[in-house]
Amino acid sequence: MLVVLFDILFTPFEVSFYKEERRTTFLKMIFPILETVFIVDILINFRMAYYDKGMLVTNGRQIVHYYLRKGFSLDFLAVLAELIAVVSYGTSLWYLKIIKIVRVKKLFFMTNRIEDFLNLQRSVSATLKLIKLWGTILIVGHWIACLFHILAYNRKDTEMTWLDKANLENGSIFERYIAAFYWAVMTMTTVGYGDIGPTTAVERLFTIAAMIIACALFGYSMNTIGVIFQEINSEKQQAKEKIRSVKNYMNQKNLGRNIQTRVKNYLQYMIDSKNFHKHEEEEFFKMLSQALKDEIISEVNGKILVECKIFSTNFSYKSSMHLSRFMYEKFLSPEEVLFEVIKF
């Protein structure tokens, strides 16, 4: 994932700022290494099994067809762009290298897979989505800054550009990048202080396109932020609503204060111990086939029986697994009596 992130960030940066100085920079060495990694990744994907309808597909021909349909075109396009850039260095075809930013789709895919693998809690997952959103905004701002710079840098000898206006035509790479990124952030946030702005027709056209993209990204960001905060608070809000409903029911039935307090404390205990969403587990099991249900129940309950000394010493592993299918989970409140011996 870090290799993909490095590639989509430094490729437009190299095209915009390092074209002339490339032969003396580490970028000349690092990008061929990166492309070797991506070529190896393509070869691995041609042999990587995948899930279809819940079943693991290991057939070689099916794997090849699946990868050709799903991700090969973008992966091959990015590698081809780098190869063309290497062969055509010094010509206008070298700028095709920027096509490699299509790998951003691969980055999003990988982050989603990692999030699914970690199985994060709802609040943590929502926070991660917020971080991803801000990361997306910064990446888009970085791309816009690089493109804005290259428009001016390639025409600095023929007409006055924003670099000339800002007295940065002979500035360092750091100074020019900061100025371009500063302009990109101003444009995306619609602040526009006016100290840096387009001067040529091409720059103005690009500014119009950048503002349209920024408006779309702003609308998407506001909607996503609203959804994220709703996800963060939804679990607590649902629990409060259920407790409120139970309290209203007990008030309507004129139940005593003592039992109301016990019920409320028990519900709070269930929420704190994450046992309040038992119905969600039942809905999950309804979606599974009987074979998968039996397999999950055997693995979950079987571990309990195997670790229990009474069962592990007196029963075989097969008997414990068979018995585990008849076990079920029951929740009890603290201090609740399980068995009571009545003396006559």
Side-chain angles (χ1 to χ4, degrees):
M1 188 178 72
L2 293 177
V3 173
V4 178
L5 181 62
F6 179 90
D7 192 58
I8 64 174
L9 288 177
F10 275 85
T11 294
F13 187 77
E14 181 197 20
V15 171
S16 181
F17 292 90
Y18 272 100
K19 184 177 185 299
E20 294 179 358
E21 300 89 343
R22 183 176 185 268
R23 296 187 180 278
T24 60
T25 65
F26 79 102
L27 296 176
K28 180 185 177 182
M29 298 178 291
I30 196 67
F31 277 111
I33 297 174
L34 293 181
E35 292 310 312
T36 303
V37 173
F38 289 123
I39 291 172
V40 172
D41 179 64
I42 290 176
L43 298 176
I44 292 174
N45 283 325
F46 275 119
R47 300 295 298 168
M48 184 178 293
Y50 67 96
Y51 282 94
D52 182 35
K53 298 178 181 178
M55 302 298 294
L56 184 65
V57 179
T58 58
N59 181 272
R61 181 172 295 181
Q62 289 179 299
I63 292 173
V64 170
H65 289 167
Y66 176 80
Y67 180 52
L68 289 174
R69 293 196 316 269
K70 295 295 183 180
F72 174 74
S73 57
L74 288 182
D75 291 344
F76 178 74
L77 181 64
V79 172
L80 181 63
E82 176 64 24
L83 294 176
I84 293 174
V86 172
V87 174
S88 60
Y89 181 77
T91 67
S92 57
L93 288 176
W94 188 79
Y95 292 106
L96 290 176
K97 185 184 182 76
I98 205 166
I99 294 175
K100 290 167 59 180
I101 63 174
V102 297
R103 286 187 175 133
V104 69
K105 183 178 179 181
K106 193 177 188 72
L107 178 65
F108 289 141
F109 173 77
M110 295 172 71
T111 54
N112 290 334
R113 288 288 296 273
I114 292 173
E115 186 178 350
D116 292 339
F117 175 77
L118 294 176
N119 193 25
L120 302 173
Q121 295 181 359
R122 185 178 300 179
S123 58
V124 179
S125 178
T127 304
L128 183 60
K129 288 180 181 177
L130 189 62
I131 295 173
K132 285 165 58 179
L133 175 63
W134 285 112
T136 302
I137 294 172
L138 290 176
I139 289 174
V140 173
H142 170 75
W143 288 349
I144 291 176
C146 292
L147 291 174
F148 188 59
H149 172 268
I150 199 172
L151 289 176
Y153 197 74
N154 284 349
R155 303 172 67 90
K156 64 179 183 177
D157 297 328
T158 58
E159 53 187 323
M160 183 176 180
T161 65
W162 71 267
L163 286 173
D164 299 314
K165 182 180 177 181
N167 295 320
L168 291 172
E169 63 276 7
N170 296 318
S172 65
I173 291 176
F174 176 77
E175 291 174 333
R176 284 182 276 132
Y177 174 75
I178 292 299
F181 190 71
Y182 165 73
W183 171 87
V185 172
M186 283 197 306
T187 303
M188 293 174 66
T189 56
T190 66
V191 176
Y193 291 114
D195 50 345
I196 296 178
T199 58
T200 67
V202 175
E203 292 174 0
R204 292 190 181 97
L205 285 173
F206 178 76
T207 301
I208 293 171
M211 286 190 290
I212 293 173
I213 294 172
C215 288
L217 185 62
F218 178 79
Y220 168 77
S221 302
M222 291 299 101
N223 179 67
T224 303
I225 289 173
V227 172
I228 288 172
F229 280 108
Q230 187 176 1
E231 287 183 6
I232 293 174
N233 299 320
S234 63
E235 191 171 351
K236 293 181 180 179
Q237 192 63 34
Q238 289 175 9
K240 288 181 180 179
E241 289 295 331
K242 290 178 180 179
I243 293 177
R244 188 179 294 111
S245 299
V246 172
K247 290 172 67 176
N248 291 336
Y249 170 81
M250 292 189 296
N251 289 331
Q252 290 175 1
K253 300 301 180 180
N254 295 320
L255 296 180
R257 284 287 179 186
N258 184 37
I259 192 171
Q260 286 197 31
T261 302
R262 288 168 54 197
V263 170
K264 187 179 70 173
N265 291 336
Y266 174 71
L267 291 176
Q268 190 62 51
Y269 160 74
M270 293 291 285
I271 293 171
D272 294 339
S273 59
K274 306 297 183 183
N275 293 325
F276 198 62
H277 302 288
K278 180 67 177 176
H279 66 283
E280 294 181 1
E281 181 181 327
E282 294 172 354
E283 291 294 326
F284 162 70
F285 272 98
K286 288 180 181 179
M287 296 187 294
L288 301 178
S289 65
Q290 189 60 45
L292 284 175
K293 289 180 186 178
D294 293 341
E295 189 175 343
I296 292 174
I297 292 173
S298 296
E299 183 167 347
V300 173
N301 296 338
K303 290 179 180 178
I304 299 174
L305 294 180
V306 170
E307 292 175 0
C308 181
K309 190 174 182 180
I310 296 176
F311 287 94
S312 62
T313 56
N314 296 288
F315 296 90
S316 65
Y317 179 81
K318 186 176 180 180
S319 299
S320 298
M321 290 297 104
H322 181 72
L323 182 61
S324 65
R325 298 181 182 180
F326 301 97
M327 293 174 60
Y328 65 92
E329 191 174 14
K330 185 175 182 180
F331 298 104
L332 301 170
S333 61
E335 306 299 329
E336 186 172 342
V337 178
L338 300 180
F339 299 100
E340 185 175 4
V341 179
I342 301 177
K343 296 182 180 180
F344 295 96

Short mmCIF file of all heavy atoms in Angstrom, two decimals, residues 281-317:
data_model
loop_
_atom_site.label_atom_id
_atom_site.label_comp_id
_atom_site.label_asym_id
_atom_site.label_seq_id
_atom_site.Cartn_x
_atom_site.Cartn_y
_atom_site.Cartn_z
N GLU A 281 -27.11 -10.83 15.66
CA GLU A 281 -26.47 -12.12 15.45
C GLU A 281 -27.46 -13.12 14.85
O GLU A 281 -27.11 -13.90 13.95
CB GLU A 281 -25.94 -12.64 16.79
CG GLU A 281 -25.23 -13.98 16.69
CD GLU A 281 -24.74 -14.45 18.04
OE1 GLU A 281 -24.37 -13.59 18.86
OE2 GLU A 281 -24.75 -15.68 18.28
N GLU A 282 -28.69 -13.09 15.33
CA GLU A 282 -29.71 -14.00 14.80
C GLU A 282 -30.01 -13.69 13.34
O GLU A 282 -30.19 -14.60 12.52
CB GLU A 282 -30.98 -13.89 15.65
CG GLU A 282 -30.78 -14.39 17.09
CD GLU A 282 -31.99 -14.10 17.96
OE1 GLU A 282 -32.92 -13.42 17.48
OE2 GLU A 282 -32.00 -14.56 19.12
N GLU A 283 -30.07 -12.40 13.00
CA GLU A 283 -30.30 -12.02 11.60
C GLU A 283 -29.14 -12.47 10.71
O GLU A 283 -29.34 -12.89 9.57
CB GLU A 283 -30.48 -10.50 11.49
CG GLU A 283 -31.77 -9.98 12.11
CD GLU A 283 -32.99 -10.48 11.35
OE1 GLU A 283 -32.92 -10.64 10.12
OE2 GLU A 283 -34.02 -10.71 12.01
N PHE A 284 -27.94 -12.40 11.26
CA PHE A 284 -26.76 -12.84 10.51
C PHE A 284 -26.83 -14.33 10.21
O PHE A 284 -26.56 -14.77 9.09
CB PHE A 284 -25.50 -12.51 11.33
CG PHE A 284 -24.28 -13.27 10.91
CD1 PHE A 284 -23.66 -13.01 9.71
CD2 PHE A 284 -23.74 -14.27 11.73
CE1 PHE A 284 -22.52 -13.72 9.33
CE2 PHE A 284 -22.62 -14.97 11.35
CZ PHE A 284 -22.01 -14.69 10.14
N PHE A 285 -27.24 -15.13 11.20
CA PHE A 285 -27.33 -16.57 10.99
C PHE A 285 -28.43 -16.94 10.00
O PHE A 285 -28.33 -17.95 9.31
CB PHE A 285 -27.56 -17.28 12.33
CG PHE A 285 -26.29 -17.63 13.05
CD1 PHE A 285 -25.82 -16.82 14.07
CD2 PHE A 285 -25.57 -18.75 12.69
CE1 PHE A 285 -24.64 -17.14 14.72
CE2 PHE A 285 -24.39 -19.08 13.34
CZ PHE A 285 -23.91 -18.27 14.36
N LYS A 286 -29.48 -16.13 9.93
CA LYS A 286 -30.56 -16.41 8.99
C LYS A 286 -30.08 -16.32 7.54
O LYS A 286 -30.64 -16.97 6.66
CB LYS A 286 -31.73 -15.44 9.21
CG LYS A 286 -32.52 -15.71 10.48
CD LYS A 286 -33.66 -14.71 10.62
CE LYS A 286 -34.44 -14.96 11.91
NZ LYS A 286 -35.54 -13.96 12.07
N MET A 287 -29.07 -15.51 7.28
CA MET A 287 -28.57 -15.32 5.92
C MET A 287 -27.65 -16.46 5.47
O MET A 287 -27.36 -16.57 4.29
CB MET A 287 -27.83 -13.98 5.81
CG MET A 287 -28.70 -12.76 6.03
SD MET A 287 -27.81 -11.21 5.69
CE MET A 287 -26.59 -11.24 7.01
N LEU A 288 -27.18 -17.28 6.41
CA LEU A 288 -26.21 -18.32 6.07
C LEU A 288 -26.90 -19.63 5.72
O LEU A 288 -28.03 -19.90 6.13
CB LEU A 288 -25.26 -18.56 7.25
CG LEU A 288 -24.44 -17.35 7.72
CD1 LEU A 288 -23.61 -17.74 8.93
CD2 LEU A 288 -23.54 -16.84 6.61
N SER A 289 -26.19 -20.46 4.97
CA SER A 289 -26.67 -21.81 4.69
C SER A 289 -26.53 -22.66 5.95
O SER A 289 -25.78 -22.32 6.86
CB SER A 289 -25.87 -22.43 3.54
OG SER A 289 -24.51 -22.60 3.92
N GLN A 290 -27.25 -23.79 6.00
CA GLN A 290 -27.21 -24.64 7.19
C GLN A 290 -25.82 -25.19 7.43
O GLN A 290 -25.37 -25.33 8.57
CB GLN A 290 -28.22 -25.79 7.03
CG GLN A 290 -28.43 -26.60 8.29
CD GLN A 290 -28.96 -25.75 9.44
OE1 GLN A 290 -29.87 -24.95 9.26
NE2 GLN A 290 -28.37 -25.92 10.61
N ALA A 291 -25.10 -25.52 6.33
CA ALA A 291 -23.75 -26.05 6.48
C ALA A 291 -22.81 -25.04 7.14
O ALA A 291 -22.03 -25.38 8.03
CB ALA A 291 -23.21 -26.46 5.11
N LEU A 292 -22.90 -23.77 6.72
CA LEU A 292 -22.07 -22.72 7.33
C LEU A 292 -22.47 -22.47 8.77
O LEU A 292 -21.62 -22.23 9.64
CB LEU A 292 -22.17 -21.43 6.51
CG LEU A 292 -21.39 -21.39 5.20
CD1 LEU A 292 -21.68 -20.10 4.45
CD2 LEU A 292 -19.89 -21.52 5.46
N LYS A 293 -23.79 -22.52 9.07
CA LYS A 293 -24.25 -22.34 10.45
C LYS A 293 -23.64 -23.41 11.35
O LYS A 293 -23.10 -23.11 12.43
CB LYS A 293 -25.78 -22.44 10.51
CG LYS A 293 -26.53 -21.27 9.91
CD LYS A 293 -28.02 -21.51 10.05
CE LYS A 293 -28.81 -20.44 9.32
NZ LYS A 293 -30.26 -20.68 9.39
N ASP A 294 -23.72 -24.69 10.92
CA ASP A 294 -23.19 -25.78 11.73
C ASP A 294 -21.69 -25.64 11.92
O ASP A 294 -21.16 -25.91 13.00
CB ASP A 294 -23.51 -27.12 11.06
CG ASP A 294 -25.00 -27.42 11.05
OD1 ASP A 294 -25.72 -26.81 11.86
OD2 ASP A 294 -25.43 -28.25 10.23
N GLU A 295 -20.99 -25.21 10.87
CA GLU A 295 -19.54 -25.07 10.96
C GLU A 295 -19.15 -23.97 11.95
O GLU A 295 -18.22 -24.14 12.75
CB GLU A 295 -18.97 -24.77 9.58
CG GLU A 295 -17.46 -24.82 9.51
CD GLU A 295 -16.92 -24.65 8.10
OE1 GLU A 295 -17.71 -24.81 7.14
OE2 GLU A 295 -15.73 -24.34 7.96
N ILE A 296 -19.87 -22.84 11.90
CA ILE A 296 -19.56 -21.73 12.81
C ILE A 296 -19.88 -22.12 14.25
O ILE A 296 -19.09 -21.88 15.17
CB ILE A 296 -20.36 -20.47 12.41
CG1 ILE A 296 -19.84 -19.93 11.07
CG2 ILE A 296 -20.25 -19.39 13.49
CD1 ILE A 296 -20.66 -18.78 10.52
N ILE A 297 -21.06 -22.73 14.46
CA ILE A 297 -21.46 -23.12 15.82
C ILE A 297 -20.49 -24.14 16.40
O ILE A 297 -20.10 -24.08 17.57
CB ILE A 297 -22.90 -23.68 15.80
CG1 ILE A 297 -23.89 -22.55 15.48
CG2 ILE A 297 -23.26 -24.31 17.14
CD1 ILE A 297 -25.31 -23.02 15.26
N SER A 298 -20.07 -25.12 15.57
CA SER A 298 -19.13 -26.13 16.04
C SER A 298 -17.80 -25.52 16.43
O SER A 298 -17.19 -25.90 17.44
CB SER A 298 -18.92 -27.20 14.95
OG SER A 298 -20.11 -27.90 14.69
N GLU A 299 -17.33 -24.54 15.64
CA GLU A 299 -16.03 -23.93 15.95
C GLU A 299 -16.11 -23.06 17.20
O GLU A 299 -15.21 -23.10 18.05
CB GLU A 299 -15.55 -23.10 14.76
CG GLU A 299 -14.17 -22.49 14.98
CD GLU A 299 -13.56 -21.94 13.72
OE1 GLU A 299 -14.07 -22.23 12.62
OE2 GLU A 299 -12.56 -21.20 13.83
N VAL A 300 -17.20 -22.29 17.33
CA VAL A 300 -17.33 -21.39 18.49
C VAL A 300 -17.55 -22.19 19.77
O VAL A 300 -16.83 -22.02 20.77
CB VAL A 300 -18.49 -20.39 18.27
CG1 VAL A 300 -18.74 -19.58 19.54
CG2 VAL A 300 -18.18 -19.47 17.10
N ASN A 301 -18.56 -23.08 19.77
CA ASN A 301 -18.87 -23.84 20.97
C ASN A 301 -17.86 -24.95 21.22
O ASN A 301 -17.60 -25.33 22.36
CB ASN A 301 -20.28 -24.43 20.86
CG ASN A 301 -21.35 -23.35 20.79
OD1 ASN A 301 -21.12 -22.22 21.22
ND2 ASN A 301 -22.51 -23.70 20.27
N GLY A 302 -17.29 -25.51 20.11
CA GLY A 302 -16.33 -26.59 20.27
C GLY A 302 -15.10 -26.14 21.04
O GLY A 302 -14.53 -26.90 21.83
N LYS A 303 -14.65 -24.90 20.83
CA LYS A 303 -13.49 -24.39 21.56
C LYS A 303 -13.76 -24.38 23.06
O LYS A 303 -12.87 -24.67 23.86
CB LYS A 303 -13.15 -22.98 21.08
CG LYS A 303 -12.58 -22.92 19.67
CD LYS A 303 -12.30 -21.48 19.28
CE LYS A 303 -11.73 -21.39 17.87
NZ LYS A 303 -11.50 -19.99 17.46
N ILE A 304 -14.99 -24.05 23.44
CA ILE A 304 -15.35 -23.99 24.87
C ILE A 304 -15.29 -25.38 25.47
O ILE A 304 -14.74 -25.59 26.57
CB ILE A 304 -16.76 -23.38 25.03
CG1 ILE A 304 -16.78 -21.96 24.48
CG2 ILE A 304 -17.17 -23.39 26.50
CD1 ILE A 304 -18.16 -21.32 24.45
N LEU A 305 -15.82 -26.38 24.75
CA LEU A 305 -15.83 -27.74 25.28
C LEU A 305 -14.44 -28.35 25.34
O LEU A 305 -14.08 -29.04 26.30
CB LEU A 305 -16.75 -28.63 24.42
CG LEU A 305 -18.24 -28.29 24.45
CD1 LEU A 305 -19.02 -29.23 23.56
CD2 LEU A 305 -18.78 -28.34 25.87
N VAL A 306 -13.64 -28.09 24.30
CA VAL A 306 -12.28 -28.64 24.26
C VAL A 306 -11.43 -28.07 25.39
O VAL A 306 -10.60 -28.78 26.00
CB VAL A 306 -11.63 -28.37 22.89
CG1 VAL A 306 -10.15 -28.71 22.90
CG2 VAL A 306 -12.33 -29.17 21.80
N GLU A 307 -11.62 -26.80 25.71
CA GLU A 307 -10.84 -26.16 26.78
C GLU A 307 -11.34 -26.54 28.18
O GLU A 307 -10.67 -26.28 29.16
CB GLU A 307 -10.87 -24.64 26.61
CG GLU A 307 -10.13 -24.16 25.38
CD GLU A 307 -10.28 -22.66 25.15
OE1 GLU A 307 -10.97 -22.01 25.97
OE2 GLU A 307 -9.71 -22.14 24.17
N CYS A 308 -12.56 -27.13 28.23
CA CYS A 308 -13.11 -27.56 29.52
C CYS A 308 -12.51 -28.92 29.88
O CYS A 308 -12.62 -29.89 29.11
CB CYS A 308 -14.63 -27.64 29.43
SG CYS A 308 -15.41 -28.15 30.99
N LYS A 309 -11.89 -29.03 31.03
CA LYS A 309 -11.17 -30.24 31.40
C LYS A 309 -12.07 -31.46 31.50
O LYS A 309 -11.68 -32.58 31.15
CB LYS A 309 -10.43 -30.00 32.73
CG LYS A 309 -9.46 -31.11 33.08
CD LYS A 309 -8.66 -30.75 34.31
CE LYS A 309 -7.64 -31.85 34.61
NZ LYS A 309 -6.84 -31.53 35.82
N ILE A 310 -13.30 -31.27 31.97
CA ILE A 310 -14.22 -32.39 32.14
C ILE A 310 -14.50 -33.06 30.80
O ILE A 310 -14.48 -34.29 30.68
CB ILE A 310 -15.54 -31.92 32.79
CG1 ILE A 310 -15.26 -31.40 34.20
CG2 ILE A 310 -16.58 -33.03 32.81
CD1 ILE A 310 -16.48 -30.82 34.89
N PHE A 311 -14.74 -32.24 29.77
CA PHE A 311 -15.06 -32.79 28.46
C PHE A 311 -13.81 -33.29 27.74
O PHE A 311 -13.85 -34.31 27.04
CB PHE A 311 -15.76 -31.73 27.61
CG PHE A 311 -17.17 -31.47 28.03
CD1 PHE A 311 -17.46 -30.43 28.91
CD2 PHE A 311 -18.23 -32.24 27.57
CE1 PHE A 311 -18.76 -30.17 29.31
CE2 PHE A 311 -19.52 -32.00 27.97
CZ PHE A 311 -19.79 -30.96 28.84
N SER A 312 -12.70 -32.57 27.88
CA SER A 312 -11.49 -32.96 27.15
C SER A 312 -10.91 -34.28 27.64
O SER A 312 -10.27 -35.02 26.87
CB SER A 312 -10.43 -31.86 27.26
OG SER A 312 -10.06 -31.67 28.62
N THR A 313 -11.13 -34.64 28.94
CA THR A 313 -10.58 -35.88 29.49
C THR A 313 -11.53 -37.05 29.38
O THR A 313 -11.09 -38.21 29.40
CB THR A 313 -10.20 -35.66 30.97
OG1 THR A 313 -11.35 -35.19 31.69
CG2 THR A 313 -9.05 -34.66 31.09
N ASN A 314 -12.83 -36.79 29.29
CA ASN A 314 -13.80 -37.88 29.30
C ASN A 314 -14.50 -38.11 27.96
O ASN A 314 -15.19 -39.13 27.80
CB ASN A 314 -14.87 -37.61 30.37
CG ASN A 314 -14.31 -37.59 31.77
OD1 ASN A 314 -13.94 -38.62 32.32
ND2 ASN A 314 -14.21 -36.40 32.35
N PHE A 315 -14.36 -37.18 27.04
CA PHE A 315 -15.02 -37.32 25.74
C PHE A 315 -14.00 -37.12 24.62
O PHE A 315 -13.04 -36.37 24.77
CB PHE A 315 -16.16 -36.32 25.59
CG PHE A 315 -17.28 -36.51 26.58
CD1 PHE A 315 -17.27 -35.86 27.81
CD2 PHE A 315 -18.35 -37.34 26.28
CE1 PHE A 315 -18.31 -36.05 28.72
CE2 PHE A 315 -19.38 -37.53 27.18
CZ PHE A 315 -19.36 -36.88 28.40
N SER A 316 -14.24 -37.78 23.51
CA SER A 316 -13.38 -37.62 22.34
C SER A 316 -13.64 -36.26 21.69
O SER A 316 -14.67 -35.63 21.94
CB SER A 316 -13.62 -38.74 21.33
OG SER A 316 -14.93 -38.65 20.80
N TYR A 317 -12.68 -35.84 20.86
CA TYR A 317 -12.83 -34.57 20.15
C TYR A 317 -14.07 -34.59 19.26
O TYR A 317 -14.82 -33.61 19.20
CB TYR A 317 -11.58 -34.30 19.32
CG TYR A 317 -11.64 -33.01 18.52
CD1 TYR A 317 -11.37 -31.78 19.11
CD2 TYR A 317 -11.96 -33.04 17.17
CE1 TYR A 317 -11.43 -30.60 18.39
CE2 TYR A 317 -12.02 -31.87 16.43
CZ TYR A 317 -11.75 -30.65 17.04
OH TYR A 317 -11.82 -29.49 16.30
#
